[in-house]
Amino acid sequence: MSSDTRPPVALPTHQLRVGMTLPFTLQDEDGQVLLAKGLRIENEKQLELLRQRKRVFVPFEESELAVKVLMTGLLELDRRGAALKDLDRYVTLDESGPGAGEPLRGSMPEQCAEVAARLRRLLVALAQRALAPPDAAVRLEQLWRDLQQWAAARVAQEAATLVLTYRACSSPAEYSVLHALQCAVLAQRVAPLLALPAGEVRPLVLACATMNVAMVQLQDALAQQTQPVSPAQRAQIDAHAAESERLLRAAGVTDEAWLQAVRWHHARPPASVLSALPTGWRLASIVQALDRYTAAMSPRASRPGRSAKDAARTVLARNVLGAQDPVGLALVQLLGLYPPGTFVRLQAGELALVLRPGQKAATPVAAVVVNRMGEPLGAPKLVDCARPEYVVAEAVPGSAVKARIDLEEMVQRLAYSRAPGSGLLQ
């Protein structure tokens, strides 16, 4: 039987929540789309309209998740000897249920999309105080495990950085979650360069992921907003660090280094030497640098993103930790002047997506996507910018680039560039 003849999967609407980003399309009993895959349930009114239907349906062929939760419910129904009419009570989309601890699967772009969706659901639930401490602990630990999976190999770390940075720097869509994930991945990568004790890495990474939990929806709104910030919005922005700490405490977080890093990530530290700071202040200073660096490159509806080189200057020149800011220097050491996922124009006029650092800070390994005549290439060309014919002329903001980028192909090019025999610096 072909997939398009299979009946849709019924989903009980009491499983839906405000803030959910749907991993599948919701349809009515006649197959009419109610809410498309990838969209979010924005408010209580939208949720109530869906719940008035009692049940909605998911196309069978579209979502492994819908099938998985349905089958889990059927197995539990059978185990309990319950009647089929009671199936709804055993079908759950709770991420702490069966399969929650499974490793990430699929391509790196698919993995990044999955972790971003999980993080959004988590942050919205924390902001609404909808998670009891035991449930919050499970979900936060899942996030940590997801990030640790990427940390297991250099190419995976580089690929995650490439995908998240490209997405965050090319469009203001989903800004809040992409920004948090981008900072969290970079925190994990930069920690060894800053000689952080092993026990400080986890609170640093999770502080990056949760630093803006009190203003997730406001961040997304501001990214799309062209008018000036209103007084009410400014008040929420000014209060978000302290409110984020309160929300985390309410969810059962007790790690003081993590909580302090969130509380102080916009504050001036009491000393100018990173190693001399108490743990909470040290982590807060690192979060602040990562926050500023990544935010500078991200576009808004009201302005384009800054180039990667300009973003590096903002963190290298900040006065918080003196002229020679160790976090800024570590970021340039890790990523170069042109981070993976950003664009450069070569002296010959070609436009290229940076895949990874090269021999020097200004000579990345990149993939040419637009030729000197301004024409998109059918197959991106892998180049080493250390070679005279591929010297970088300037950084280009991602929001200014209109070329279509196949991220899965770019991740493959990145992996090849690290392979023996590629002819590129390992």
Side-chain angles (χ1 to χ4, degrees), residues 46-242:
Q46 190 179 33
L47 177 63
E48 182 57 32
L49 289 173
L50 290 170
R51 285 184 172 172
Q52 285 174 4
R53 297 177 177 272
K54 302 298 182 186
R55 288 194 306 172
V56 292
F57 297 84
V58 178
F60 184 94
E61 71 279 5
E62 185 174 296
S63 173
E64 291 183 5
L65 175 60
V67 175
K68 181 172 71 175
V69 297
L70 179 66
M71 294 308 297
T72 300
L74 287 169
L75 290 171
E76 184 65 12
L77 191 79
D78 181 65
R79 188 182 73 82
R80 293 172 178 263
L84 187 60
K85 65 181 178 63
D86 295 325
L87 174 63
D88 283 4
R89 71 181 62 177
Y90 302 114
V91 175
T92 178
L93 290 174
D94 184 359
E95 289 181 280
S96 62
E102 294 179 359
L104 294 168
R105 292 186 172 85
S107 66
M108 182 55 71
E110 290 170 338
Q111 290 183 27
C112 287
E114 174 63 21
V115 176
R118 291 179 187 178
L119 179 57
R120 174 171 293 283
R121 292 192 290 268
L122 170 60
L123 293 177
V124 169
L126 291 172
Q128 295 176 345
R129 298 179 184 258
L131 286 178
D135 296 328
V138 169
R139 300 273 286 275
L140 289 163
E141 184 59 30
Q142 177 69 58
L143 173 64
W144 173 245
R145 286 199 300 269
D146 289 343
L147 296 172
Q148 284 295 96
Q149 181 174 328
W150 291 341
R154 178 172 68 170
V155 171
Q157 284 187 323
E158 290 181 333
T161 301
L162 165 64
V163 171
L164 292 169
T165 302
Y166 169 78
R167 287 182 169 162
C169 294
S170 299
S171 166
E174 296 291 310
Y175 169 72
S176 62
V177 171
L178 291 175
H179 175 66
L181 268 184
Q182 189 185 11
C183 289
V185 169
L186 288 179
Q188 196 154 244
R189 298 188 65 193
V190 84
L193 300 179
L194 297 171
L196 281 190
E200 294 183 9
V201 177
R202 186 177 188 275
L204 171 65
V205 170
L206 293 178
C208 285
T210 58
M211 60 181 164
N212 297 319
V213 62
M215 56 177 288
V216 172
Q217 292 177 325
L218 176 60
Q219 272 192 312
D220 287 334
L222 291 174
Q224 302 285 351
Q225 181 173 304
T226 55
Q227 63 267 35
V229 175
S230 71
Q233 288 173 330
R234 172 52 58 190
Q236 188 176 348
I237 293 168
D238 292 343
H240 85 273

Side-chain angles (χ1 to χ4, degrees), residues 239-376:
H240 85 273
E243 181 59 23
S244 292
E245 181 205 3
R246 282 193 287 272
L247 288 170
L248 291 170
R249 286 191 186 277
V253 175
T254 58
D255 186 324
E256 286 298 323
W258 173 0
L259 294 165
Q260 290 168 358
V262 169
R263 184 195 322 158
W264 295 327
H265 77 275
H266 285 295
R268 179 174 290 276
S272 59
V273 179
L274 191 67
S275 60
L277 290 170
T279 301
W281 276 110
R282 179 164 55 251
L283 301 189
S285 295
I286 299 170
V287 173
Q288 184 176 147
L290 295 170
D291 188 15
R292 288 166 55 91
Y293 175 67
T294 54
M297 291 185 285
S298 297
R300 309 287 189 275
S302 59
R303 63 155 177 84
R306 300 175 70 177
S307 75
K309 203 167 185 177
D310 286 342
R313 289 193 187 102
T314 67
V315 72
L316 284 169
R318 70 186 184 132
N319 297 319
V320 175
L321 293 172
Q324 295 297 316
D325 189 300
V327 186
L329 292 173
L331 282 169
V332 172
Q333 181 183 347
L334 176 71
L335 304 173
L337 289 175
Y338 310 106
T342 65
F343 288 91
V344 292
R345 192 176 306 282
L346 308 183
Q347 283 196 346
E350 298 146 309
L351 191 67
L353 179 72
V354 176
L355 301 182
R356 65 171 176 84
Q359 291 175 289
K360 298 179 181 179
T363 61
V365 172
V368 176
V369 294
V370 176
N371 66 21
R372 67 189 67 185
M373 304 299 294
E375 301 164 336

